[in-house]
Amino acid sequence: MAFEFRIAKWAKIVTGFRVKPRDIRAFIRYNSMKKLQNMLLMRLQMRQRRTAVTAFPFILVADPINVCNLKCPLCPAGIGAPGRPQGKMTLDQFKKIIDKIGDYLYEVNLFRYGEPLLNKDIFQMVEYTHQHNIFTCINTNFNILSREMARDLVRSGLDYLVLSIDGLSPETYSRYRVGGNFGQVIQNIKVLVEEKRRLQTSSPLIEWQFLVFKHNQHEVDEVEQFARTLGVDATSIKCGNIGVANESGDYSSEYVLEGNERNRYEKVGMPVSGTVCDWLWNTFTINYDGGVSACCSAYKKEDDFSNFFAESSCFEEIWNNTKFKTARSIFREGRLTHDKDILCNSCSIAMGYVKRRTIQINKGGTGLLLG
């Protein structure tokens, strides 16, 4: 077991909080005084609930492509939801992002709603990121992999690879990963592990991510052992309430867990409802076309806060524009905004925070929630 996983395990035992192994690796292996000072300043400004900030984000989520080879029922790319045309980011466009804010970044996540391995420049993006001393992570359904791609993936220096595999048999796997081939995915894992051994490297660390739905819940206890036999480094079990199920925002379906069953597993990507949303301070989220989103849940182009690739764009102005400041003000003022263009108004994180703060004030508290 890699040392990052040991640290994460003990951190959870000692503090009670879950720390991601990849965040530990990013902090330890890719640190600098400039990054550390920026991160501490940003954490202070978030704690103060500043709407206009002077620090830079230290995590980047960049979508290299919003096209996918599968048709997962709860994913906007999978169901072909309207809202953003299909396309991919070019290598030059990606370099523009890194050149601007790379000195402050600990971590770059090259995925959102599409399948990253469909972008032919993905490994060059990873290589360029490493030239700037930044941790890299990709999340993939892993149905697409040749021996040559496996070799390029390992040689690119990718730090962390998350494999989204929600079943331990072709039957359970294909219920959600529609169009996927379970046998091919397992073979691809073997090929990648062989390439890592041949090139004598421990990178990338491989995580099997298992999203729990009604139809695969009975397999949860067997996932870790199954993955370990293949040479996978870690497993994560998460609630399957992901993506944008439909236009009404209704997540009720044959796939999704109900009631208390949802709370048994970690949620994907976002903070717990009722806590501050640190995406608005820590993370810069950008789509393939340059559209800047508030967080990983924002899919439609109409919800963008700005466009990074616009000729007149300036990062500092984008990062502190009216929409970002208005969204951050929800967690400063403890109430939703009157701006209907701010998607955060309909987010369970923001609504949960406002509810908690209102209750605290009514009980005679200060109303300031630092969680």
Side-chain angles (χ1 to χ4, degrees), residues 49-327:
R49 302 296 188 267
R50 295 241 188 129
T51 56
V53 295
T54 57
F56 279 57
F58 49 87
I59 299 173
L60 170 67
V61 174
D63 195 358
I65 188 169
N66 74 334
V67 179
C68 191
N69 53 319
L70 303 189
K71 299 185 181 299
C72 304
L74 300 184
C75 173
I79 64 176
R84 191 178 301 275
Q86 291 186 337
K88 65 179 181 179
M89 186 181 294
T90 68
L91 179 59
D92 286 341
Q93 288 174 326
F94 178 74
K95 287 180 176 180
K96 182 180 179 181
I97 307 170
I98 299 299
D99 290 346
K100 181 59 183 178
I101 63 175
D103 288 348
Y104 303 95
L105 294 174
Y106 278 102
E107 187 173 329
V108 171
N109 296 297
L110 281 162
F111 60 90
R112 280 199 74 201
Y113 288 109
E115 169 48 55
L117 299 186
L118 288 175
N119 188 320
K120 63 180 178 61
D121 295 325
I122 189 66
F123 302 133
Q124 290 177 277
M125 292 177 177
V126 172
E127 290 174 358
Y128 193 75
T129 304
H130 269 283
Q131 292 174 16
H132 286 73
N133 192 41
I134 308 169
F135 172 96
T136 50
C137 177
I138 289 176
N139 188 316
T140 170
N141 62 55
F142 219 45
N143 276 263
I144 305 170
L145 191 79
S146 63
R147 178 72 65 172
E148 181 180 2
M149 287 178 66
R151 183 169 57 252
D152 291 342
L153 188 156
V154 175
R155 287 177 173 172
S156 72
L158 180 69
D159 290 281
Y160 210 90
L161 184 68
V162 180
L163 309 180
S164 294
I165 310 172
D166 319 309
L168 298 183
S169 70
E171 292 72 28
T172 52
Y173 172 78
S174 61
R175 280 286 298 278
Y176 183 71
R177 299 290 165 181
V178 179
N181 186 321
F182 180 75
Q184 185 62 59
V185 171
I186 299 304
Q187 179 59 31
N188 290 345
I189 294 175
K190 294 177 180 178
V191 169
L192 178 60
V193 171
E194 288 174 5
E195 282 301 309
K196 285 176 59 178
R197 290 172 179 164
R198 189 179 69 82
L199 296 173
Q200 298 181 334
T201 178
S202 61
S203 297
L205 293 177
I206 305 172
E207 175 185 313
W208 180 312
Q209 179 179 268
F210 188 97
L211 300 181
V212 185
F213 301 102
K214 292 178 183 178
H215 62 268
N216 65 6
Q217 192 174 9
H218 64 284
E219 296 178 333
V220 166
D221 293 337
E222 303 173 33
V223 175
E224 184 175 358
Q225 179 59 37
F226 189 94
R228 189 183 299 120
T229 61
L230 295 172
V232 171
D233 298 291
T235 56
S236 60
I237 310 297
K238 299 184 179 182
C239 182
N241 296 22
I242 60 172
V244 182
N246 53 47
E247 290 298 302
S248 67
D250 182 10
Y251 288 90
S252 176
S253 76
E254 63 175 299
Y255 300 94
V256 178
L257 299 174
E258 297 178 351
N260 292 331
E261 289 298 306
R262 298 186 189 184
N263 300 322
R264 291 182 58 187
Y265 309 102
E266 178 191 355
K267 303 301 185 294
V268 178
M270 296 299 291
V272 177
S273 178
T275 64
V276 64
C277 182
D278 55 8
W279 280 75
L280 294 170
W281 283 270
N282 298 344
T283 306
F284 191 61
T285 307
I286 185 168
N287 297 283
Y288 81 89
D289 56 2
V292 177
S293 296
C295 69
C296 66
S297 293
Y299 177 73
K300 295 181 179 179
K301 191 177 184 68
E302 65 188 53
D303 294 321
D304 289 350
F305 280 12
S306 185
N307 190 289
F308 186 86
F309 298 150
E311 289 185 8
S312 59
S313 67
C314 169
F315 176 79
E316 289 84 353
E317 292 178 1
I318 293 174
W319 193 227
N320 283 300
N321 68 16
T322 300
K323 289 191 175 183
F324 265 113
K325 289 192 290 187
T326 301

